[in-house]
């Protein structure tokens, strides 16, 4: 049997463990007299809120299982996306259960086994799943101690949990497996848990090696791309040449007659080929593409005037924040900033495997960020009951945000129904990934800020134009395969939704103390290019615009940029990261040589998650327009630290990714097609342009809630790059990315 076959469900295990105890009561079954009438009842009180994702799946055994053989299994609905969350969540569970990481079998997102935690997104895995697992583990430990105390006839306080056993001072011991009986853990969690205190931690707070790395560096199966099942077929999809193209003519005979070809699949505009071997599928795909005729039309906006196009597409305006009365008296700074469409640029193009089995169930292996929402969308597309679709997460070689993972899963699922019985592997090509994945939306931001006589911000008006930043499944209409079927599914209408965590408006409301302000989101429901969640959503561009403006206001008051930020900041944790980043950078002492500049950026991600500040030194070549960040020094407050190396890794990666977005990345298109279909037409940061050093300093917050880390760096890093260029050249760049041409033009202007 190949890997991942023959999986069993969490519930089915009970049947073979001897642990299931069914009890019932005969009550008054033999009583002669009728039962008295029931007294009047009042409506039951709503259940108490539980910590993290426990509130959505309230039973302890949804998160932790202990079997009679003393094996421990921990479940999470979150997916490992390369962010190291598997290691951090293991540390949390091991800490509260008083076991080693190696003692735990850890199961991530799987619709047949794990809790439904929606999407792995928004840097919320530790806040939601980490909090749930920690509280569940602590309560399981308490139940085990209580059961052992009952058996030993002593108080729980006289016992300790250690190494999968409960130990008494007199030498008696009992294993966890011996203690668990019946449905002991099938109980609702409680709102409060007796959590271990930071001073007693064994593994939390320690920089443990990531458990997902060994397989990746030794060539073992690590990604869905590596999955090989018995009898597996290979498929390739022939995509339309443009988003509005319609298939008008197809001669599939040549492709069908090629060596190894098993089937040509056509359903409306959905076109694919299935073969015994991968390269046979690639060759047949190319032949099939050459035999297809498409009718195309112009549907894309004019890229040369994208800001005006965004304003033209506005349909609705939402108020994100409003306080006081706006004023234009005093020194006024006004600016317009833009961000282009940008791609995820996953190094490994999207991939999925699916198998339609004889019993009518469909298994799908995918690097989706949401196995349960993806299951619902695939089931809708195929008109199957959800319980017949099983989606199992496997890592993808480059996955964050809504890239092509869900679409590849839908491709594989649809094709698998046409060749039932055999697994089908679908691998996208590079040009398909660049052309068809959902993009991070283009944005336009306008700022008007006024300074009073004391050098403080007296008035702040901020307007942003943007689509929604998330069209994740969300319905079959979110899947390319479903859109291209003859009976096509349409995307759900985009809606303006303003929430505390934000969407396109994420971080649009500055954390700084500003008495008079107004923040508006000019919403674009029509999306001429397909868009969805790209890391940090609107937070990247909004923080870039806000922090660029803050620097300009500091210059107008002849204040130091860091001091100006602190002048407007009351949050002590925000002040702490600003001060720490400046101190470790040597901000007060930094003297920049010619053509070098320093820049600063700060934000609290979503205004409710991690705090991050970063200072950068950048060198600029005015003649060529090349910009290179020389060094970056950051400070981050992510709340309670579980794995400091994980926090550093994520912050370093976020800084580098943001530098790449800010200096290089923009989707190119004409009125009909995407034209940036490879790495030459869509350049990214290369090793030669990586900073000499990237420092991450972590503020310790023992006992504080988890705040998340993964997306905290994107906005501040972009602002720091922009402000360093301003410091080096005396010129402000307003339009992302800061290409060589744009910098040469800016520096060359009088």
């Amino acid at each position: 049997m190949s890997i991942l076959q023959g999986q069993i469900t969490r519930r089915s295990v009970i049947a073979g463990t001897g642990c299931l105890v069914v009890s019932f009561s005969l009550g008054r079954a033999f009583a002669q007299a009728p039962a008295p009438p029931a007294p009047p009842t009042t409506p039951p009180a709503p259940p108490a809120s539980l910590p993290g994702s426990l509130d959505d799946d309230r039973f302890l055994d949804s998160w932790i299982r202990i079997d009679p053989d003393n094996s421990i299994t921990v479940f999470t609905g979150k997916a490992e996306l390369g962010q190291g969350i598997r290691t951090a969540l293991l540390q949390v569970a091991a800490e509260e259960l008083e076991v080693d990481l190696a003692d735990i079998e850890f199961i991530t997102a799987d619709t047949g086994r794990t809790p439904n935690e929606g999407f792995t997104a928004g840097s919320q895995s530790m806040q939601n799943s980490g909090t749930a697992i920690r509280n569940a583990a602590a309560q399981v430990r308490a139940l085990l101690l209580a059961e052992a105390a009952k058996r030993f006839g002593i108080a729980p306080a006289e016992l300790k949990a250690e190494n999968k056993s409960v130990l008494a001072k007199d030498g008696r011991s009992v294993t966890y497996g011996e203690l668990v009986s019946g449905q002991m853990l099938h109980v609702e969690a409680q709102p409060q848990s007796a959590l271990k205190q930071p001073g007693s931690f064994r593994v939390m707070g320690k920089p443990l090696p990531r458990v997902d790395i060994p397989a990746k560096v030794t060539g073992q199966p690590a990604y869905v791309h590596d999955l090989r099942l018995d009898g597996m077929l290979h498929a390739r999809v022939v995509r339309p040449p443009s988003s509005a193209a319609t298939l008008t003519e197809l001669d599939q005979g040549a492709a069908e007659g090629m060596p190894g070809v098993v089937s040509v699949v056509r359903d409306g505009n959905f076109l694919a080929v299935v073969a015994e071997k991968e390269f046979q599928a690639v060759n047949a795909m190319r032949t099939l593409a050459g035999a297809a005729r498409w009718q195309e039309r112009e549907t894309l906006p004019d890229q040369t005037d994208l800001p005006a196009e965004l304003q033209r597409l506005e349909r609705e305006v939402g108020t994100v924040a409003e306080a006081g009365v706006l004023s234009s008296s005093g020194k006024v700074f006004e600016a317009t900033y833009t961000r282009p469409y940008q791609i995820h640029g996953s190094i490994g193009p999207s991939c999925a495997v699916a198998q339609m089995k004889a019993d009518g169930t469909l298994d799908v292996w995918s690097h989706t960020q949401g196995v349960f929402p993806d299951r619902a969308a695939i089931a809708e597309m195929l008109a199957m009951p959800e319980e017949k679709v099983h989606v199992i997460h496997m890592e993808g070689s480059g996955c964050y945000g809504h890239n092509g993972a869900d679409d590849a899963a839908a491709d594989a699922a649809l094709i698998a129904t046409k060749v039932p019985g055999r697994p089908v592997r679908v691998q996208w090509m590079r040009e398909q990934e660049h052309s068809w994945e959902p993009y991070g939306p283009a944005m336009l931001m306008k700022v008007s800020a006024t300074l009073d006589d004391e050098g403080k911000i007296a008035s702040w008006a901020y307007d942003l134009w943007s689509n929604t930043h998330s069209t994740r499944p969300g319905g079959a209409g979110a899947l390319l395969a479903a859109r291209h079927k003859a009976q096509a599914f349409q995307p759900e209408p985009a809606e303006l939704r303003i929430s505390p965590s934000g969407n396109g408006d994420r971080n649009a409301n500055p954390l700084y103390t500003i008495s008079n302000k107004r923040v508006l989101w000019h919403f674009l429901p029509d999306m001429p290019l397909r868009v969805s969640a790209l890391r940090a959503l609107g937070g990247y561009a909004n923080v870039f615009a806000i922090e660029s403006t803050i620097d300009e206001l500091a210059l107008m008051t002849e204040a130091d940029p860091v001091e100006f930020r602190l002048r407007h900041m009351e949050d002590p944790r925000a002040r702490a990261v600003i001060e720490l980043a400046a101190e470790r950078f040597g901000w007060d002492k930094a003297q920049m040589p010619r053509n070098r500049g320093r820049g600063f950026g700060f934000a609290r991600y979503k205004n409710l998650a991690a705090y991050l500040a970063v200072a950068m030194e950048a060198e600029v070549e005015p003649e060529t327009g090349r910009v290179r960040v020389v060094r970056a020094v950051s400070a981050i407050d992510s709340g309670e630290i579980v794995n400091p190396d994980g926090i550093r890794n994520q912050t370093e990666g976020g800084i580098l990714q943001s530098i790449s977005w800010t200096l290089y990345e923009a989707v190119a298109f004409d009125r009909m097609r995407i034209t940036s279909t490879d790495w030459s037409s869509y350049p990214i940061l290369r090793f030669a342009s990586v900073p000499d050093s990237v420092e991450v300093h972590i503020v310790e917050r023992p006992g504080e809630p988890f705040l998340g880390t993964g997306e905290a760096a994107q906005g501040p890093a972009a602002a720091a790059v922009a402000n360093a260029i301003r410091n080096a050249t005396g010129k402000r760049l307003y339009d992302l990315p800061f290409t060589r041409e744009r910098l040469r033009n800016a520096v060359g202007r009088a």
Side-chain angles (χ1 to χ4, degrees), residues 417-432:
T417 64
K418 308 299 183 182
V419 285
R422 297 184 67 178
V424 178
R425 178 180 181 270
V426 172
Q427 169 75 64
W428 280 20
M429 308 296 284
R430 170 54 54 195
E431 62 272 16
Q432 293 174 338

Side-chain angles (χ1 to χ4, degrees), residues 291-542:
R293 299 291 177 267
W294 304 84
Q295 183 178 35
E296 297 183 82
R297 54 193 175 89
E298 293 185 350
T299 59
L300 302 184
D302 182 358
Q303 187 174 16
T304 62
D305 197 17
L306 191 54
E309 186 72 15
L310 294 178
Q311 290 178 285
R312 187 187 68 79
L313 290 170
E314 175 190 323
R315 294 292 183 273
E316 187 179 358
V317 181
T319 301
V320 178
E322 191 168 26
V325 179
L326 298 183
S327 171
S328 58
S329 64
K331 296 180 180 178
V332 178
F333 173 79
E334 294 182 334
T336 299
Y337 304 89
T338 66
R339 170 201 177 174
Y341 293 98
Q342 294 175 315
I343 71 171
H344 297 80
S346 300
I347 299 301
S350 297
C351 181
V353 177
Q355 181 178 14
M356 191 73 190
K357 297 189 293 188
D359 62 1
T361 60
L362 176 69
D363 288 345
V364 182
W365 290 265
S366 171
H367 54 107
T368 176
Q369 288 187 266
V371 290
F372 286 91
D374 204 27
R375 177 183 70 171
I378 289 171
E380 182 185 0
M381 176 184 72
L382 299 175
M384 291 179 62
E386 282 190 31
E387 62 270 18
K388 292 286 189 178
V389 180
H390 179 198
V391 180
I392 308 107
H393 181 268
M394 287 189 71
E395 287 191 67
S397 53
C399 181
Y400 51 85
H402 182 183
N403 65 355
D406 298 327
D407 296 305
D411 293 340
L414 178 55
I415 296 168
T417 64
K418 308 299 183 182
V419 285
R422 297 184 67 178
V424 178
R425 178 180 181 270
V426 172
Q427 169 75 64
W428 280 20
M429 308 296 284
R430 170 54 54 195
E431 62 272 16
Q432 293 174 338
E433 187 77 29
H434 278 220
S435 299
W436 286 98
E437 66 146 72
Y439 303 132
M443 295 177 65
L444 171 69
M445 297 77 65
K446 291 188 176 184
V447 187
S448 177
T450 303
L451 292 167
D452 63 19
D453 294 338
E454 297 178 352
K456 288 189 175 183
I457 303 172
S459 182
W460 180 276
Y462 187 87
D463 294 77
L464 71 101
W465 284 259
S466 172
N467 295 120
T468 180
H469 282 241
S470 183
T471 58
R472 284 184 167 117
L479 304 173
L480 286 177
R483 293 190 191 186
H484 290 160
K485 283 166 57 70
Q487 298 296 319
F489 289 83
Q490 298 303 315
E492 295 179 356
E495 295 181 4
L496 173 64
R497 294 176 181 171
I498 296 175
S499 65
S501 61
N503 185 281
D505 60 320
R506 183 168 291 178
N507 280 107
N509 184 19
L511 196 65
Y512 299 107
T513 301
I514 304 172
S515 298
N516 305 298
K517 62 183 175 182
R518 186 201 65 209
V519 179
L520 300 179
W521 181 3
H522 302 258
F523 185 67
L524 287 55
D526 298 323
M527 294 171 278
L529 272 68
R530 186 182 182 220
V531 299
S532 194
L534 179 61
R535 208 172 191 184
L537 305 191
Y540 164 69
N542 287 323

Side-chain angles (χ1 to χ4, degrees), residues 87-109:
T87 306
L89 293 177
L90 266 171
Q91 286 179 256
V92 167
E95 186 66 66
E96 294 294 348
L97 289 172
E98 297 288 8
V99 299
D100 294 332
L101 270 67
D103 293 327
I104 298 174
E105 180 186 5
F106 196 66
I107 307 297
T108 62

Side-chain angles (χ1 to χ4, degrees), residues 303-307 337-342 443 540 544 620-627 661-667 725 729 731-749:
Q303 187 174 16
T304 62
D305 197 17
L306 191 54
Y337 304 89
T338 66
R339 170 201 177 174
Y341 293 98
Q342 294 175 315
M443 295 177 65
Y540 164 69
F544 153 68
V620 179
E621 297 176 0
E623 299 82 8
T624 66
R626 181 175 186 261
V627 177
W661 287 349
T662 304
L663 295 180
Y664 302 101
E665 299 188 37
V667 173
I725 294 173
T729 65
K731 301 292 184 181
R732 169 67 60 188
L733 298 184
Y734 300 93
D735 301 308
L736 295 166
F738 305 147
T739 61
R740 293 190 179 203
E741 181 181 9
R742 281 177 172 164
L743 191 135
R744 286 198 306 269
N745 290 341
V747 173
R749 290 198 298 266

